[in-house]
Amino acid sequence: MNIVVIGAQWGDEGKGKIVDFLAGDAAAIVRYAGGANAGHTIVLGAEQYALHLVPSGILYPGKRVFLGSGMVIDPEALFAELGALKERGIDWEGRALISDRAHIVLPRYREIDKERDAGRKKPIGTTGRGIGVTYSLKSDRDGIRVADLLWEEKMRDLEPSDRDFLARYRDKLLAMSTDMAVEMRRLRGQNVLLEGAQGTLLDLDLGTYPFVSSGMSSAAGAAVGAGIGPGAIDAVIGVFKAYSTRVGNGPMPSEFDEGADSALCAFVRETGREYGVTTGRPRRCGYLDLVALRYACAVNSMDALALTHLDIYDTLDEVEACVAYRIGGRETTDFPASVEALSQAQPVLRKFPGWKRPLKKCRSFESLPQRARDYVAFIEDYTETPVGIVSVGYERGETIIRRNPWQTKR
Ligand code: IMO
Ligand code: MG
């Protein structure tokens, strides 16, 4: 069975925790998009891990993880991350493998990324990791793939500094390189978890273009980025938070108002630890945007949702969510393509009574307070998608499973 886990918002939805949880039942984990722009946090007891390139399944001893062809891989960042894992006792040799079709990020791409973004009239606020530069070279057919390290003529024609850089990492990368078509064929009949990065609204095609990342972070990207056809995907799980966040620039219709909502914004940011794992930037925060979430469910043919950070709202008297946009005097529940329309959109909010009880210890849906269940039921009705998993804390065990995706047939 192949299950895809993706972000249903603007990234940072808690994918790392959900992937880590589901990885327990997987034979292999494949990350299929993005690069070192991602930051996936996993908490195991007193230990906290921040992963950027390495799939979240690495923390299970012996489990195989793959960096898929849809990824862009910065060798410096990769080996720094693997080195740090090794120092903490996580063995990765022989079980962390890279698609030979994945593209390589050169150090100078990071500088070009930063310069380009600073030169934009409206900067995107990229992570400066060279992501867009690498994907655009890929589309332009000038990229460098892992398999190219064996292509002598191509290496010879590179700039000397690029060639020297690649020569330093050549043997290490080739030792990890594999053919994902072969690997995925061998894995047929076993459980494979396809781990997304970023989120639907940062997807190059489906997101709030041009304020997006450059990879295919939506469910469709999982097939190409891992090395299977779309028909082989058995379920798509979309992860979302009980509220919204966004890092970098671009429209966010349900963003908390700087004046009226400043106390709520500070509360959510501090309680939810809403600071970038990759860049340390404070994240922009806002109400749960159901218009955007329903759009994400539709464009990904989402089978189920995983709701995270519900416990952040434990102490509030009232919880609000955005159920429509008001744009130029008209109300809509459809998510517009135009960033101009999105920037003008005013959120139409709906109030829910708060549950005012800690959720951290709840382990079944029935044990959640009625008001929390009502909030979840409203989300399910609105998005026409079941909420199969609810996370009530950072720890692996602080999770409620209503539908185990490995045991749910379409
Ligand atoms: P995870 O996997 C949140 C955002 C950046 C910027 C835009 C483009 O942790 O959810 P890029 O460097 O990719 O060209 O930047 O995309 N961005 C993310 N925001 N979570 C992420 O990943 C992100 N990856 C990229 O902040 O606005
Ligand atoms: Mg993140």
Side-chain angles (χ1 to χ4, degrees), residues 69 71 79 84-85 100 117 144 146 152 157 295 311 318 385:
S69 65
M71 288 189 70
F79 290 105
L85 284 170
D100 52 6
D117 206 36
I144 303 165
V146 172
E152 278 174 29
D157 292 344
Y295 167 76
D311 53 303
E318 220 163 46
T385 311

Side-chain angles (χ1 to χ4, degrees), residues 11-15 37-41 51 198 247 276-278 283:
D12 305 324
E13 300 92 347
K15 294 179 293 292
N37 50 348
H40 298 169
T41 307
L51 300 169
Q198 288 78 55
V247 204
V277 177
T278 301
R283 296 180 183 140

Side-chain angles (χ1 to χ4, degrees), residues 310-342:
L310 186 60
D311 53 303
I312 303 305
Y313 276 168
D314 280 356
T315 55
L316 300 190
D317 292 326
E318 220 163 46
V319 170
E320 286 179 279
C322 167
V323 292
Y325 298 156
R326 201 171 292 119
I327 305 173
R330 274 191 53 236
E331 250 184 48
T332 181
T333 55
D334 293 327
F335 191 76
S338 148
V339 274
E340 214 177 10
L342 280 167

Side-chain angles (χ1 to χ4, degrees), residues 3 15 25-26 41 52 55 82 106 146 148 150 158 165 180 183 201 240 248 255 292 305 328 349 391:
I3 291 184
K15 294 179 293 292
D25 288 322
T41 307
H52 302 283
L82 289 170
L106 295 178
V146 172
D148 296 344
L150 290 166
L158 292 174
F165 173 80
M180 287 306 290
E183 298 284 359
L201 303 173
F240 74 107
E255 186 167 12
L305 289 164
L349 298 176
S391 164

Side-chain angles (χ1 to χ4, degrees), residues 25-349:
D25 288 322
I29 297 90
V30 186
R31 187 61 200 262
Y32 66 82
N37 50 348
H40 298 169
T41 307
I42 297 164
V43 180
L44 291 181
E47 298 287 316
Q48 180 163 326
Y49 298 87
L51 300 169
H52 302 283
L53 282 159
V54 179
S56 301
I58 196 76
L59 301 179
Y60 287 91
K63 224 154 247 196
R64 296 214 300 158
V65 303
F66 297 95
L67 285 77
S69 65
M71 288 189 70
V72 289
I73 295 164
D74 178 334
E76 275 178 340
L78 175 65
F79 290 105
E81 197 173 322
L82 289 170
L85 284 170
K86 180 111 189 164
E87 270 175 30
R88 296 176 70 178
I90 313 283
D91 271 319
W92 55 268
E93 273 118 341
R95 67 182 183 102
L97 299 169
I98 307 176
S99 166
D100 52 6
R101 292 180 172 85
H103 280 248
I104 297 176
V105 181
L106 295 178
R108 64 186 174 86
Y109 298 174
R110 296 194 294 251
E111 300 315 312
I112 302 172
D113 179 4
K114 287 177 210 157
E115 273 167 32
R116 266 200 206 160
D117 206 36
R120 283 189 175 104
K121 213 168 143 204
K122 286 199 171 135
I124 294 162
T126 70
T127 58
R129 298 297 191 272
I131 305 298
V133 177
T134 313
Y135 278 117
S136 54
L137 285 165
K138 170 181 173 176
S139 313
D140 226 2
R141 289 136 305 163
D142 287 321
I144 303 165
R145 305 194 300 171
V146 172
D148 296 344
L149 296 169
L150 290 166
W151 184 2
E152 278 174 29
E153 189 190 349
K154 173 145 183 165
M155 290 297 116
R156 213 181 316 125
D157 292 344
L158 292 174
E159 295 284 323
S161 60
D162 293 350
R163 191 171 50 223
D164 292 349
F165 173 80
L166 288 171
R168 284 211 298 283
Y169 289 98
R170 183 182 182 274
D171 293 346
K172 284 163 95 173
L173 286 170
L174 287 175
M176 296 170 74
S177 149
T178 190
D179 183 339
M180 287 306 290
V182 174
E183 298 284 359
M184 291 304 285
R185 196 171 65 221
R186 287 199 189 120
L187 282 161
R188 265 186 215 158
Q190 298 188 61
N191 284 348
V192 178
L193 194 62
L194 307 178
E195 174 182 2
Q198 288 78 55
T200 304
L201 303 173
L202 291 173
D203 179 276
L204 184 61
D205 290 79
L206 302 167
T208 50
Y209 191 90
F211 299 96
V212 291
S213 191
S214 305
M216 279 205 270
S217 45
S218 56
V224 187
I228 49 172
I233 291 172
D234 296 285
V236 179
I237 313 293
V239 187
F240 74 107
K241 284 191 283 214
Y243 48 88
S244 305
T245 62
R246 168 160 211 169
V247 204
N249 300 323
M252 183 180 178
S254 68
E255 186 167 12
F256 293 137
D257 182 275
E258 261 174 47
D261 302 324
S262 59
L264 181 59
C265 184
F267 170 80
V268 167
R269 187 175 289 143
E270 296 314 316
T271 318
R273 308 182 194 171
E274 296 299 349
Y275 291 89
V277 177
T278 301
T279 56
R281 291 180 285 182
R283 296 180 183 140
R284 295 159 64 192
C285 300
Y287 299 102
L288 173 62
D289 185 341
L290 287 166
V291 177
L293 186 64
R294 184 167 69 177
Y295 167 76
C297 287
V299 294
N300 290 297
S301 301
M302 217 84 93
D303 292 280
L305 289 164
L307 165 58
T308 66
H309 289 233
L310 186 60
D311 53 303
I312 303 305
Y313 276 168
D314 280 356
T315 55
L316 300 190
D317 292 326
E318 220 163 46
V319 170
E320 286 179 279
C322 167
V323 292
Y325 298 156
R326 201 171 292 119
I327 305 173
R330 274 191 53 236
E331 250 184 48
T332 181
T333 55
D334 293 327
F335 191 76
S338 148
V339 274
E340 214 177 10
L342 280 167
S343 318
Q344 288 163 13
Q346 293 297 317
V348 177
L349 298 176

